[in-house]
Amino acid sequence: RDRKSRTTHTHRRLGGQIKRALELALGAASDVSLHGVWIVRCEPDPDASRFRVVIRPEDEDDTVLDRLEAARSWLRMEVAHAIHRKRVPDLRFVRAPEEST
């Protein structure tokens, strides 16, 4: 395998680990409004030093991104416990685009 495909595979695996860690953390969050946040995907943004976390809230809560930002340091700590890496990527939360019906 070439270097680019190994990097892509590593980033995809890391994104999956971050997604699972965030799903567990959000389910246990003290802010119950975060329990209904669905993680669509986690992808490098632009590289593995930061991941874009694409979310879809269960309801039309306009404050969900603010609430996630307020919990970001706690969420990064939860990710750190799960991924066992020397450097924990920063997280940037964005809302998934609305699906057209």
Side-chain angles (χ1 to χ4, degrees):
R1 287 169 38 165
D2 65 355
R3 184 181 197 103
K4 184 173 172 70
S5 69
R6 274 194 310 251
T7 301
T8 301
H9 174 74
T10 301
H11 288 173
R12 192 175 300 127
R13 189 177 72 230
L14 180 57
Q17 291 171 342
I18 292 170
K19 182 178 185 284
R20 282 187 296 281
L22 289 173
E23 288 169 340
L24 290 171
L26 291 173
S30 60
D31 181 347
V32 294
S33 68
L34 296 179
H35 293 187
V37 174
W38 299 96
I39 307 291
V40 177
R41 68 183 171 277
C42 297
E43 54 200 13
D45 181 36
D47 56 34
S49 66
R50 180 174 68 185
F51 270 74
R52 177 177 36 240
V53 180
V54 181
I55 60 112
R56 181 165 290 127
E58 193 172 60
D59 55 19
E60 294 300 315
D61 184 0
D62 291 333
T63 65
V64 70
L65 290 175
D66 293 333
R67 292 172 185 267
L68 286 167
E69 186 58 34
R72 188 166 60 89
S73 62
W74 170 70
L75 290 168
R76 282 188 74 217
M77 188 172 57
E78 293 298 310
V79 167
H81 291 301
I83 65 173
H84 307 291
R85 291 177 63 101
K86 188 174 185 176
R87 292 195 174 101
V88 178
D90 196 10
L91 303 173
R92 184 169 72 95
F93 296 96
V94 297
R95 190 184 289 260
E98 294 297 320
E99 295 177 356
S100 57
T101 55

